Structure formats: C-alpha cells, structure tokens
Amino acid sequence: MSEASAHTDSFGVYLHVPFCATRCGYCDFNTYTPGQLGSGATQGDYLDAIVAELEMAVVKHPELARGADTVFVGGGTPSMLGASGLRRLLDGVRNSFGLADDAEVTTESNPESTSPEFFEGLAEAGFTRVSLGMQSAVPHVLATLDRTHTPGRPAAAVAEARAAGFEHINLDVIYGTPGESMADLDTTLEAVLATEVDHVSAYSLIVEPGTAMARKVRRGELPMPDDDDLANRYERIDAALSQVGFSWYEVSNWAKPGGQCRHNMLYWRDGNWWGAGPGAHSHLDGTRFYNVKHPARYAVTISGGELPVKDSEGLTAEDRHTEKIMLGLRLAEGIDASLLGEDELDKARRQAEAGMVEFVSVDGGQRIQLTNRGRLLADAIIVDILS
C-alpha cells in the first residue's frame, strides 16, 4: 500500500468530552461549563452514557467489532475526567469495538489540568499520544483568548508526559490573536521548539459568530484578524518548524518523521469512524450522522435504550467527490489527478500556471499538490477547482 492510500481502510473512534472549567472567548465547540450543564448531566452520567453508546453501536453495527486502529478523545477538556475517567473511556472502546495491536490512542489535554500522575495513569491505560493546548506563550495573548493556564505550564506538561513514556506529543498553537505582535509569535515559537515535541498544530484565529470574541469585535473592542498578516505569520511558523526537522503534512499540521497523527489522517483520507458522545459526528461508508448536542439530552436518550443520533445523511457520489478533493488537497501528498473531471483538471492546470499547485509524477501517475504559495490560499484554490 502506498503512502498516499495508507490508512484509508482504517477504522477510528472519536470520543467527545463536552466539559470545560471555563469557556474561552473564541470557542464555538460543543462544550459546557458546570453552570451551563443544569441537572442530569454530571461527569458520571456522561461516562455511563458514552460507554453504553459504544456497546449499542456494536450491537447495531457488528461489523465494526474489528478493532479500532485509532482512538481520539477530544473536547472540551478531556483531562477534566482525570486519568481514571479517560481509562474508562478507553476500556469502553476495548470492550466494544476492540483495539488493534498497534492502535494510536490520543487525548487532548489542558496543561493546567494535568500532572505527572495524570500522564502516568494515561500511559498505564494504553494511551500513546497526548495533544496539549498551548495556544500562546505570551500572557496578554492568553488573556485575550481567555485561556486559564500560565505561559510556562505547557512546557512543564510536555516534560511530565515525556517522563511518563510518551514519545508522541503535540502542541496546539493559535496565531493572529488581536494584540499579538510578531515578536509575541516568535516568543511562542521559541517556547514550542524548546520542548522538542514531534508534532505541532498551528491554526489562525477565526472569529466564529456567536462567540464572546465575535461580540467584542462587533463592539469595536478587538480588531478583526487581517488576512495578509495571518499569511505572514503562517510563513514565519513554517520556516521556524522546517529549520528543526518538521515537515508539513496538512496545511495546519507539522510533524517530525513518524510523528503524524494517524487519526487525523483517517479524516483527511475519507476513512470511517464512529463518533461517540454529545454532538459527535460519525462517517460510515458514505453515511454521515451526528448525535444530540446537550449532555443531559444525550444521557436521557441513551438511558431509553436508543442511539443518540440527531440526524443523518447519505452522501451522493458528487458529495464524496467534493469531500475527497477538499480534504485531500490540504495534505502534502495531494490528490491523484485522475480524481478530477476534465473541467476540474483545466482549472487545476491554470492554478499550476499561477504557481499555486504542481503536478508531480508518483508511481507512474500524477498527483496534484499545493505549492508553498498555494498553502496560503488553499481554501480558495479548492473552491476554484470544484466550482
């Protein structure tokens, strides 16, 4: 199997943890602070319900009891469950879908809710990677983002995770926060590189409608991020990471050799996964579905003996074609040129003439890959090819 097709036959499990101690001003994820949960939505209720969902999923889809190749616990703040709660989630996957012998098992964590004992417990439970939300190493940037951790805590958490035996550690960074200077970004990059992690995810700040940050922008309290400035910052990040052995493998993700996140590659390569938990999304062989969002409603539905699916849709051949192009072109490996129709190929050739993509010969065929310049305009290029 070639690198370009690896893992497309893999099966993954995503587990959504909807709890956060506080809500960050930029966040529009399906998360809840204690005051937003109301009655009937405790962490204990959640753990009971999500384990029950996994058991019910395999009853309805026995073909999935083949062993998950990847597991990813996201949120929210999964580390709020503690190592014991996360162990229970992973045991739920083991006892339902099963786990492949070489399964990649990841959890996101807030550095402030971790400790040496936490990471030791994760390693004993069978987790193989951790992803830490760093966002920035600069206090005033963290304050604008409403992040609660202190600037030095992510580096300390990395050291604790490594001491517990974790080889694969990711740091999440956000760039382009209002008030963040280029010097601030450099400070963050220096802090990231000093940890010697093997994976970095860097996302430009997006002001999502309905968030506290969007309201501040609307009132004129914060400026909207500037696209040209964001492009300059992206190039700064890419240069810094490339100099120390990182390679980009998806537009917003860089890894050292062997450090790629297999679970995320499963998404980008149009694989199958079951999403468990409130609001979680799933994809199985061209059918996409998602769960009810609120933890209380989720728990009630499960206790009634029903899978908590809110809605589903069968993807048409055109839908799947669009998604393969949209997701695949964001990867460094690109897409097989044979996926495109003649009109789409003509548009891709024009993008190549403009220096945005290139046609590369691989294994007797041709692949279309973004150039460095094209990475800055990936979404617009994809829309142009598909329009």
Side-chain angles (χ1 to χ4, degrees):
M1 182 180 291
S2 69
E3 181 184 356
S5 62
H7 305 311
T8 49
D9 294 329
S10 297
F11 171 66
V13 177
Y14 172 75
L15 305 168
H16 186 68
V17 179
F19 308 114
C20 281
T22 60
R23 189 169 186 86
C24 299
Y26 61 90
C27 178
D28 72 337
F29 294 163
N30 186 42
T31 61
Y32 303 84
T33 63
Q36 296 172 321
L37 282 171
S39 60
T42 67
Q43 291 186 15
D45 295 330
Y46 158 80
L47 286 169
D48 290 341
I50 196 168
V51 170
E53 181 189 349
L54 295 171
E55 294 169 350
M56 293 165 64
V58 173
V59 170
K60 184 167 183 178
H61 298 277
E63 72 279 5
L64 298 181
R66 43 161 286 188
D69 299 289
T70 65
V71 178
F72 194 103
V73 187
T77 309
S79 46
M80 284 184 66
L81 296 178
S84 61
L86 290 169
R87 176 191 286 270
R88 188 171 177 205
L89 288 184
L90 186 53
D91 284 344
V93 176
R94 280 196 185 95
N95 296 333
S96 54
F97 299 114
L99 276 180
D101 291 339
D102 64 342
E104 174 195 88
V105 184
T106 308
T107 184
E108 295 178 341
S109 298
N110 184 326
E112 209 67 29
S113 55
T114 62
S115 66
E117 295 75 20
F118 171 80
F119 291 115
E120 289 165 6
L122 288 187
E124 291 172 3
F127 284 81
T128 65
R129 358 178 6 120
V130 292
S131 180
L132 297 163
M134 180 179 189
Q135 318 317 349
S136 175
V138 179
H140 76 85
V141 176
L142 291 171
T144 300
L145 293 171
D146 296 321
R147 295 292 294 184
T148 58
H149 65 260
T150 55
R153 179 57 202 157
V158 169
E160 292 165 2
R162 186 169 288 120
F166 283 94
E167 178 184 358
H168 301 300
I169 304 171
N170 175 62
L171 285 175
D172 268 351
V173 172
I174 289 177
Y175 62 93
T177 300
E180 179 192 59
S181 67
M182 194 65 84
D184 291 332
L185 177 61
D186 288 341
T187 296
T188 296
L189 288 171
E190 289 169 6
V192 168
L193 298 182
T195 65
E196 298 184 345
V197 294
D198 69 339
H199 193 290
V200 175
S201 302
Y203 303 103
S204 64
L205 179 70
I206 298 175
V207 181
E208 299 286 1
T211 61
M213 182 170 283
R215 291 189 288 273
K216 290 181 180 179
V217 169
R218 189 171 62 248
R219 293 193 297 262
E221 298 172 18
L222 291 175
M224 182 71 88
D226 175 77
D227 288 344
D228 289 338
D229 181 59
L230 291 175
N232 290 336
R233 290 168 188 272
Y234 180 91
E235 291 179 324
R236 188 77 146 244
I237 293 167
D238 184 58
L241 293 174
S242 298
Q243 286 175 3
V244 294
F246 285 87
S247 298
W248 77 280
Y249 69 99
E250 192 273 343
V251 169
S252 298
N253 289 271
W254 291 257
K256 292 182 179 177
Q260 293 184 354
C261 178
R262 287 165 48 197
H263 185 83
N264 286 341
M265 291 298 290
L266 181 147
Y267 294 151
W268 295 318
R269 288 172 172 162
D270 196 32
N272 288 325
W273 75 91
W274 186 278
H281 288 240
S282 303
H283 173 258
L284 295 178
D285 297 325
T287 298
R288 187 163 46 203
F289 50 98
Y290 62 93
N291 287 347
V292 296
K293 293 183 69 173
H294 197 280
R297 180 61 183 164
Y298 171 80
V300 167
T301 305
I302 292 286
S303 66
E306 297 181 24
L307 281 170
V309 175
K310 173 70 173 178
D311 202 0
S312 66
E313 63 173 326
L315 302 178
T316 65
E318 183 178 355
D319 292 334
R320 299 205 71 179
H321 171 79
T322 297
E323 290 199 354
K324 282 181 182 291
I325 306 309
M326 288 179 61
L327 297 172
L329 260 182
R330 291 183 62 85
L331 294 171
E333 67 192 29
I335 59 172
D336 195 311
S338 65
L339 287 175
L340 300 184
E342 194 54 44
D343 182 56
E344 293 168 334
L345 270 175
D346 286 341
K347 293 174 182 175
R349 292 185 185 107
R350 287 196 291 272
Q351 290 288 354
E353 291 170 0
M356 298 297 179
V357 302
E358 57 185 350
F359 285 73
V360 179
S361 296
V362 178
D363 296 333
Q366 279 195 314
R367 298 190 69 79
I368 303 171
Q369 300 170 348
L370 293 172
T371 62
N372 287 340
R373 183 182 173 198
R375 287 155 62 191
L376 301 173
L377 297 167
D379 292 342
I381 293 167
I382 292 166
V383 168
D384 175 68
I385 290 174
L386 289 170
S387 63

